Amino acid sequence: TAAVAAICWVGCSKTSAAELVPETNATDEAELSDSGILTDKRDGRKYRTVEILGKRWMAENLNYYTERSGCYKKIDSNCDKYGRLYAWDAAKKACPSGYHLASDKDWDDLVATVGGKARYVVKGIDTSRVWEGTGKKLKAKSGWNNRKDGSGGNGTDDFGFSALPGGNRYSDGYFDDAGYSG
């Protein structure tokens, strides 16, 4: 099982425009400024956000420390660049209060909004869900490597989502694909 980068681009999102205004309750863990900067009150980190289809998405990977999270290849500067990688159980709890890890429906809605579609790819015994026609539009304009077959590479970032290729960490401790996948 791979660890996921919680976006809070693998995506924490608010679920409706009405919820975009933060409550003034002192127990809230996140505060959204008028300029679209989310401050995670748990650790003071600030994240750019973008609204797409009435949902407020973090436009940077979450970098909040929890048990069962870590930096790519255990190098602290990779957390600064890509955010943290989370085990699935940790990712489900990592988002600040009022935000949530994106569901398949959240992703399907986002993909449809940017003109793509979801499909399943079977490789051996593994089935992966991929979203076609969206990568270039959501990827950052820099930071992505080209694969040997010519695929991959930087995106156009049409929506300000700025997805970065933080790679994967598997439960056996193996890391791969930073610079190529997110």
Side-chain angles (χ1 to χ4, degrees):
T1 305
V4 297
I7 309 198
C8 303
W9 100 226
V10 166
C12 297
S13 70
K14 288 268 190 175
T15 54
S16 72
E19 294 177 346
L20 295 179
V21 178
E23 298 175 17
T24 57
N25 184 337
T27 63
D28 284 346
E29 294 175 348
E31 181 178 299
L32 183 65
S33 74
D34 291 340
S35 61
I37 301 295
L38 171 74
T39 301
D40 188 337
K41 292 181 181 178
R42 299 172 297 177
D43 62 7
R45 290 187 192 272
K46 297 183 183 303
Y47 301 93
R48 288 180 311 99
T49 66
V50 62
E51 186 174 340
I52 303 172
L53 190 66
K55 293 182 183 179
R56 178 62 57 179
W57 293 84
M58 291 176 70
E60 298 179 57
N61 286 348
L62 185 65
N63 190 10
Y64 177 71
Y65 173 83
T66 67
E67 292 289 324
R68 301 188 27 89
S69 72
C71 305
Y72 186 83
K73 292 199 173 180
K74 300 180 182 179
I75 299 170
D76 289 343
S77 62
N78 285 333
C79 277
D80 295 335
K81 182 175 183 177
Y82 298 122
R84 298 184 77 79
L85 296 170
Y86 297 86
W88 182 244
D89 61 324
K92 293 189 291 185
K93 299 174 187 173
C95 296
S97 176
Y99 286 73
H100 66 274
L101 190 65
S103 67
D104 283 345
K105 177 161 180 10
D106 291 326
W107 283 111
D108 288 345
D109 290 348
L110 177 64
V111 166
T113 299
V114 302
K117 63 180 180 176
R119 73 176 175 90
Y120 290 89
V121 176
V122 178
K123 291 183 180 178
I125 61 170
D126 294 324
T127 302
S128 298
R129 185 179 196 153
V130 297
W131 290 276
E132 296 178 327
T134 57
K136 287 277 186 199
K137 295 176 182 181
L138 295 175
K139 288 162 96 177
K141 293 180 181 179
S142 63
W144 290 81
N145 298 326
N146 286 314
R147 294 193 182 273
K148 290 179 184 174
D149 67 2
S151 66
N154 294 320
T156 58
D157 199 17
D158 294 351
F159 294 85
F161 195 73
S162 306
L164 287 175
N168 303 297
R169 181 186 181 273
Y170 297 89
S171 57
D172 63 1
Y174 178 73
F175 292 89
D176 76 348
D177 260 3
Y180 297 95
S181 70

